[in-house]
Amino acid sequence: EAGIPVLVVEVLSPGTARYDRVTKRRRYQRSGVATYWIVDTDARLVEVWVPADDSPLIIDERLAWQPDPTIAPLQIDLAEVFREIWGE
């Protein structure tokens, strides 16, 4: 009833990686989810998927998301985030 999300974010774990990358991704793409991020903390990157993509955009430095051009984009310094995750 809430409608189709404009962004879905998954953080991979060893037990769900294949399911997130294949089954869930296809389901989200077919449903019209505008953007699907798959966060791979081991590889220190984010896969960015949109409905029409056959392969992801791989981001490993700065992730930006701007669903509304009238609002400043959300920007995430991935190197900083992954350093915090790994306690570096």
Side-chain angles (χ1 to χ4, degrees), residues 43-76:
R44 297 183 182 217
L45 58 82
V46 175
E47 299 174 16
V48 178
W49 291 88
V50 297
D53 285 351
D54 291 325
S55 60
L57 176 63
I58 304 295
I59 307 292
D60 61 1
E61 292 179 10
R62 180 165 299 279
L63 185 60
W65 182 62
Q66 187 176 20
D68 181 340
T70 65
I71 299 173
L74 167 67
Q75 296 198 29
I76 301 169

Side-chain angles (χ1 to χ4, degrees), residues 11-85:
V11 178
L12 291 181
S13 67
T16 65
R18 179 169 167 67
Y19 183 70
D20 293 340
R21 283 190 166 120
V22 179
T23 306
K24 285 175 129 179
R25 174 188 53 85
R26 288 179 181 155
R27 187 172 299 149
Y28 290 140
Q29 285 180 300
R30 281 193 307 267
S31 319
V33 169
T35 307
Y36 178 45
W37 292 351
I38 300 176
V39 181
D40 187 332
T41 58
D42 290 335
R44 297 183 182 217
L45 58 82
V46 175
E47 299 174 16
V48 178
W49 291 88
V50 297
D53 285 351
D54 291 325
S55 60
L57 176 63
I58 304 295
I59 307 292
D60 61 1
E61 292 179 10
R62 180 165 299 279
L63 185 60
W65 182 62
Q66 187 176 20
D68 181 340
T70 65
I71 299 173
L74 167 67
Q75 296 198 29
I76 301 169
D77 180 337
L78 292 176
E80 181 180 324
V81 169
F82 292 128
R83 278 193 303 273
E84 287 182 32
I85 289 170

